[in-house]
Amino acid sequence: LTATADPTTRADICHHLKLMDPYTHLGSFDRPNIRYTIQEKFKPTEQLLKFIRSQNGKSGIVYCGSRKKVEDLTETLANKGFSVKGYHAGMSIEQRELVQNAFQRDNIQIVVATVAFGMGINKSNVRFVVHFDLPRSIEAYYQETGRAGRDDLPAEAVLFYDPADYAWLHKILLEKPESEQRQVEQHKLQAIGAFAESLTCRRLVLLNYFAESRQTACGNC
């Protein structure tokens, strides 16, 4: 079972598990209640504060690209009076469990986290997911935004995009040894870059990436 596998990944799963003509059930990738928004990233901390204030105490997740940024943003938000905790892989298992449980029980409003946060999170009333930094792939982005609005009520997915973030991720990728895996990662990074810079309906870009063909703009992005 997987929620966010593109055609290449689906073929890869069958290949590595040596599945011979398996039965496959493929549902829709569309989450019509989530509104996808891309904002030009110029003063991201101020942009984040403004957005969170507009949410009026609703529950949300802010994803960051590094542990240091998680810690800095958590401190900034706490100093502004928000109910917030950080979460990353450098914390102890006990610390992470405390944060996860507090979030599940609505004892805190916001979790600022790296990609380490989210596995097993089944919280239905997450109203927003903000990507403070560019994710490395559309799968990662889609999986993380998919933690919002599981109760089918309106939810927000906001991505702050700066082309410099893309250039930095690309530079790191090129420092890896040349391999088939690097080529796959480059393709995935190019796809999320194209999504961020797209001038068409964001939902159409996402759905077509997962080979779910749509032509009509969604009106909710």
Side-chain angles (χ1 to χ4, degrees):
L1 297 175
T2 175
T4 52
D6 64 5
T8 305
T9 306
R10 299 200 289 266
D12 217 28
I13 289 168
C14 293
H15 168 71
H16 284 292
L17 295 180
K18 297 181 172 58
L19 304 178
M20 307 304 291
D21 193 27
Y23 174 78
T24 304
H25 173 75
L26 187 62
S28 174
F29 288 89
D30 194 11
R31 296 284 303 281
N33 61 312
I34 297 178
R35 179 165 66 166
Y36 299 101
T37 304
I38 315 291
Q39 287 189 17
E40 182 186 355
K41 183 179 183 179
F42 58 96
K43 290 185 177 177
T45 304
E46 289 178 25
Q47 288 170 276
L48 180 65
L49 287 168
K50 183 180 177 183
F51 173 76
I52 292 176
R53 286 186 184 116
S54 76
Q55 293 300 298
N56 295 319
K58 293 172 187 169
S59 191
I61 304 169
V62 180
Y63 281 104
C64 298
S66 70
R67 297 176 187 180
K68 177 76 168 66
K69 204 170 285 185
V70 164
E71 291 168 357
D72 291 347
L73 259 188
T74 302
E75 186 178 350
T76 298
L77 292 176
N79 288 339
K80 295 290 183 181
F82 292 105
S83 169
V84 59
K85 293 287 183 187
Y87 186 108
H88 58 67
M91 295 162 61
S92 69
I93 292 171
E94 292 77 17
Q95 286 174 311
R96 282 184 279 164
E97 279 185 357
L98 282 172
V99 173
Q100 191 164 317
N101 290 338
F103 187 59
Q104 293 272 51
R105 293 169 183 157
D106 287 325
N107 292 336
I108 53 175
Q109 178 201 353
I110 303 158
V111 171
V112 181
T114 59
V115 295
F117 183 72
M119 294 302 288
I121 291 293
N122 190 21
K123 180 175 166 63
S124 65
N125 65 337
V126 175
R127 294 272 66 86
F128 64 88
V129 170
V130 176
H131 281 89
F132 198 81
D133 299 306
L134 185 71
R136 291 169 189 262
S137 69
I138 284 184
E139 287 98 327
Y141 171 78
Y142 199 72
Q143 192 170 50
E144 287 151 15
T145 58
R147 295 182 179 125
R150 291 190 173 180
D151 52 10
D152 291 330
L153 295 174
E156 300 278 349
V158 178
L159 167 63
F160 296 154
Y161 177 62
D162 179 349
D165 288 350
Y166 177 87
W168 182 74
L169 289 174
H170 192 249
K171 177 178 176 289
I172 288 173
L173 204 51
L174 292 179
E175 288 170 358
K176 293 183 177 182
E178 175 65 57
S179 66
E180 190 177 328
Q181 179 61 28
R182 193 181 90 170
Q183 288 178 345
V184 170
E185 287 181 32
Q186 275 183 275
H187 166 72
K188 289 178 183 290
L189 183 60
Q190 284 165 359
I192 188 72
F195 166 73
E197 294 184 355
S198 169
L199 299 176
T200 59
C201 169
R202 309 287 180 184
R203 193 180 310 274
L204 289 184
V205 177
L206 288 174
L207 294 177
N208 284 308
Y209 178 82
F210 289 112
E212 184 173 334
S213 185
R214 300 269 184 99
Q215 277 75 45
T216 310
C218 72
N220 192 29
C221 70

